[in-house]
Amino acid sequence: MTNSTARSRALTIGAFGCAFALVACNALEQGVRGVVGRWFADSNREGRLVDGKQVGEWNYRYDDGSPKASGRYEDDRQVGAWTYWYRNGNVEWQGSFEGARLDGPTFFGHENGTRRAIGVYGEGLEEGLWTYWRENGSVECEGDFAQGRPTLRWTYFDGGGKVSAEGYRLDGDRIGPWRYYGPGDEVAERRFPLPDGLEIVHESWDGDVSRREGYLVDGVKQGRWATWHTNGRRRATGDFVDGVAEGRWALWADDGEPVARGHVRSGRPVGAWDLWRNGVRESVEGASLTIASPSSGAWSTAAVPAGSPERAVATWISEACSPTPDTMDVSPDPNVGAPRTEAVAAADYIPAVRMRAQPFTVRETDSFDWLVERYTDGGANSQPPAGSGYARRSRGPTGEKSNGDPVLSPKFLGTELPWTRFNRAEGVVVDFDDYRGKKKVVVVVLRGFARDVCVYCVTQTKALCENFDRFVAEGCEVFVIYPGEKNRLDAFMESFEEWSDYVGVPPVGVLYDRNMELVQRMGITSEFAIPSTFVLDQQGVIRYSYVGENIEDRPPVDEVLEAVRGIPTR
């Protein structure tokens, strides 16, 4: 791709994306009128409570009375369009929630009022093309996500809008050929390793405009693929499993307007699909849609085939499924030199746009101190707040004492963690193997940021911090692990710092598992992770294992300390 083509594509997508996200978010349902219940108001929030839960429109304010956040609740869950503001009144974040998860077009702004990022969330994770800008308004980079992980082609720009680097990613890592552009016509290349059997497909329309790209594994389509219109705007994004269309697919017209969005299973549309007809969204059953048989014929150049979103689903996904041309030649170009080390390092990042921690609900706020007690001693010496729905001496919602998941909890006893290297919030790498032969280690896996910052994660971490000295006295290190990218950890730390007495680095080690290596290898994924607690002996062997049956189900500190004391010190 040429510099001019890439720059034009980034700027047209970005400029339209900003307007599209704002219009789409504002067009979503704005509230529920006539909700019965009682009105609640304090110094920083107001709205309606029904049976103790937040319902309808709610507004949040900073201490000086300026707006902080506004949106709608159903049964204590954020739904529909929400907006967050900086203290100076500029928009920090604007997006929507559907099915209790972040979903749909999203806008992030800089504090000075310029746009920061535009993209789409799908079921709580970044999906498809995202574009990022600097505070001065210049485009910074753009690239694709698949279920929250950077994939396909990523392009980086200098302050003047010229492409500075471009190449491919898989699960966040750079792969294959990357090109770096310097002053004038200076071009350099570096080849990053490709996984065994993986090949890159990139084909173009006439005129060097991208038409389709994705990955083959052993000659078969796998993972995220994307297609484009002749004007360079995105046409379709979706996944393949063993050469068959699968998972979430999204389609756009050549002016950037959404056309269709839904799920495909084994090459067939399933479930509820959103179709946009003349700008109006409607829901149809996927079973009523078809995908044409793949062909090697000419591709459609229409903005929307026959003006029909149904035809677009049939035609555009079929084109993505069609036979692929020759794969990309990834052998080194003898006429292109190696890049400078600083140029390679400058493109080794994904902008960490800070996620916004949602306000805790009235129920969560009123129960916060008691939840800390529950994760300390099980709530043995106190009663939960009246009407909170929480149970005394219980770690689950049903009232009885839980021993965790009866299948997963004992599964890991006597084994070792399959992944031990993590990053601290402040950037230092921690490897649990370094404690072998020296200390016992408590590892607490938190839930992660799927749709909100979990009050149970915050209160559990606060309980661990308040009892940190008790663990130290037993010759034990304590770590909490937040699954996912650092921007999600940042949202957690925002809530933790607001609701705890700790300023700066907390006493327990706070780590993040960027690629969710640990939870995936252990099979404790759910949205992000099933909250789990493990105690390792001095040889790194798991001697205590507690995998929760639900997001509230976590062992209290007293029980974990009892397990630590029961492990002989060698």
Side-chain angles (χ1 to χ4, degrees):
M1 175 179 294
T2 64
N3 261 311
S4 59
T5 302
R7 179 172 183 270
S8 173
R9 182 165 66 91
L11 297 181
T12 54
I13 289 175
F16 182 83
C18 180
F20 168 58
L22 291 171
V23 170
C25 290
N26 289 331
L28 292 172
E29 221 176 342
Q30 292 299 306
V32 174
R33 306 301 176 193
V35 176
V36 296
R38 71 178 181 90
W39 187 257
F40 177 93
D42 61 18
S43 61
N44 59 13
R45 59 187 167 178
E46 61 181 5
R48 195 166 298 280
L49 292 175
V50 176
D51 296 330
K53 295 184 178 181
Q54 295 180 214
V55 177
E57 295 289 337
W58 276 73
N59 295 296
Y60 291 81
R61 296 178 292 271
Y62 288 103
D63 294 340
D64 61 3
S66 59
K68 181 178 183 180
S70 180
R72 188 164 59 86
Y73 281 92
E74 288 181 4
D75 196 30
D76 260 1
R77 289 291 189 190
Q78 291 174 289
V79 296
W82 273 77
T83 302
Y84 287 74
W85 292 271
Y86 291 104
R87 286 183 178 271
N88 64 9
N90 289 327
V91 173
E92 180 177 4
W93 177 83
Q94 192 170 48
S96 60
F97 294 84
E98 186 172 319
R101 298 178 182 178
L102 292 167
D103 200 88
T106 299
F107 169 86
F108 288 92
H110 286 291
E111 193 168 1
N112 67 357
T114 60
R115 57 194 173 185
R116 177 69 183 93
I118 297 292
V120 173
Y121 281 102
E123 299 176 353
L125 298 169
E126 297 95 336
E127 284 287 354
L129 185 68
W130 279 68
T131 304
Y132 301 86
W133 289 264
R134 301 179 180 89
E135 284 188 288
N136 64 6
S138 63
V139 64
E140 182 177 13
C141 69
E142 68 168 4
D144 271 87
F145 286 89
Q147 297 180 345
R149 304 297 302 136
T151 190
L152 296 180
R153 182 157 32 96
W154 277 75
T155 306
Y156 294 78
F157 302 84
D158 62 23
K162 180 182 176 182
V163 174
S164 58
E166 187 172 38
Y168 292 84
R169 291 185 180 275
L170 179 65
D171 288 334
D173 297 326
R174 289 180 287 187
I175 62 171
W178 274 69
R179 285 211 161 194
Y180 301 87
Y181 303 90
D185 296 326
E186 179 184 331
V187 180
E189 282 188 350
R190 177 173 172 178
R191 259 58 179 173
F192 291 88
L194 284 172
D196 291 343
L198 187 141
E199 297 176 285
I200 301 171
V201 172
H202 176 86
E203 63 181 84
S204 302
W205 297 94
D206 293 337
D208 199 32
V209 175
S210 297
R211 186 170 77 170
R212 177 174 56 168
E213 68 180 18
Y215 300 133
L216 303 179
V217 177
D218 296 330
V220 177
K221 294 186 184 73
Q222 297 282 9
R224 179 58 46 87
W225 280 65
T227 67
W228 286 264
H229 291 281
T230 55
N231 64 358
R233 286 195 172 123
R234 182 62 56 89
R235 171 178 281 183
T237 299
D239 295 326
F240 285 89
V241 175
D242 296 334
V244 179
E246 189 80 18
R248 184 184 179 97
W249 280 76
L251 285 65
W252 297 266
D254 65 0
D255 60 1
E257 290 286 352
V259 172
R261 181 180 65 184
H263 286 83
V264 175
R265 184 176 302 134
S266 301
R268 297 176 181 273
V270 296
W273 271 68
D274 291 326
L275 302 183
W276 281 263
R277 204 181 310 276
N278 299 320
V280 178
R281 186 173 72 169
E282 61 184 73
S283 181
V284 304
E285 283 300 316
S288 68
L289 304 174
T290 60
I291 297 174
S293 299
S295 69
S296 56
W299 282 36
S300 166
T301 58
V304 179
S308 165
E310 290 88 351
R311 287 284 299 276
V313 172
T315 303
W316 292 348
I317 299 181
S318 169
E319 290 170 346
C321 296
S322 64
T324 57
D326 293 337
T327 56
M328 179 181 291
D329 181 5
V330 296
S331 58
D333 187 338
N335 300 313
V336 177
R340 302 184 307 276
T341 301
E342 57 269 26
V344 176
D348 187 22
Y349 73 98
I350 304 297
V353 179
R354 189 181 182 115
M355 305 289 290
R356 287 302 287 124
Q358 88 295 345
F360 285 148
T361 65
V362 173
R363 172 176 176 260
E364 291 171 339
T365 300
D366 291 346
S367 304
F368 188 89
D369 290 340
W370 185 83
L371 286 170
V372 175
E373 293 182 27
R374 190 173 79 169
Y375 293 134
T376 300
D377 61 11
N381 301 309
S382 61
Q383 292 286 347
S388 68
Y390 294 120
R392 183 172 178 264
R393 298 181 60 82
S394 168
R395 296 186 292 274
T398 56
E400 74 278 4
K401 182 177 179 180
S402 171
N403 293 312
D405 185 288
V407 175
L408 288 176
S409 292
K411 174 182 177 181
F412 304 108
L413 292 175
T415 69
E416 298 184 8
L417 293 179
W419 189 262
T420 61
R421 288 177 59 85
F422 307 92
N423 291 91
R424 279 187 181 269
E426 61 270 25
V428 179
V429 174
V430 172
D431 192 331
F432 295 155
D433 283 345
D434 293 339
Y435 294 97
R436 288 179 182 268
K438 301 175 183 177
K439 290 186 177 183
K440 304 169 189 176
V441 178
V442 173
V443 178
V444 177
V445 180
L446 301 178
R447 173 190 173 208
F449 191 104
R451 54 180 175 264
D452 50 27
V453 174
C454 174
V455 69
Y456 311 115
C457 290
V458 174
T459 50
Q460 182 187 27
T461 302
K462 190 172 190 293
L464 290 165
C465 289
E466 290 180 348
N467 291 274
F468 180 70
D469 290 344
R470 298 171 67 191
F471 286 100
V472 173
E474 300 297 331
C476 185
E477 289 287 339
V478 182
F479 297 95
V480 297
I481 300 176
Y482 207 74
E485 293 282 356
K486 186 177 182 298
N487 61 341
R488 288 176 161 81
L489 173 64
D490 290 341
F492 168 75
M493 292 303 298
E494 176 188 347
S495 283
F496 179 76
E497 290 169 5
E498 179 181 355
W499 286 91
S500 71
D501 300 326
Y502 298 97
V503 178
V505 180
V508 303
V510 179
L511 315 176
Y512 65 98
D513 184 4
R514 177 183 177 185
N515 294 328
M516 299 201 296
E517 294 279 2
L518 179 65
V519 298
Q520 289 181 355
R521 293 181 186 214
M522 297 186 79
I524 54 173
T525 57
S526 175
E527 291 185 314
F528 275 79
I530 303 172
S532 305
T533 300
F534 306 102
V535 179
L536 316 183
D537 66 16
Q538 289 173 291
Q539 307 309 313
V541 178
I542 298 173
R543 298 303 181 188
Y544 173 87
S545 172
Y546 193 109
V547 180
E549 289 191 285
N550 53 67
I551 63 173
E552 296 180 36
D553 186 12
R554 302 157 192 241
V557 165
D558 286 357
E559 182 177 304
V560 179
L561 274 166
E562 183 181 344
V564 171
R565 296 188 186 104
I567 300 173
T569 300
R570 299 176 183 177

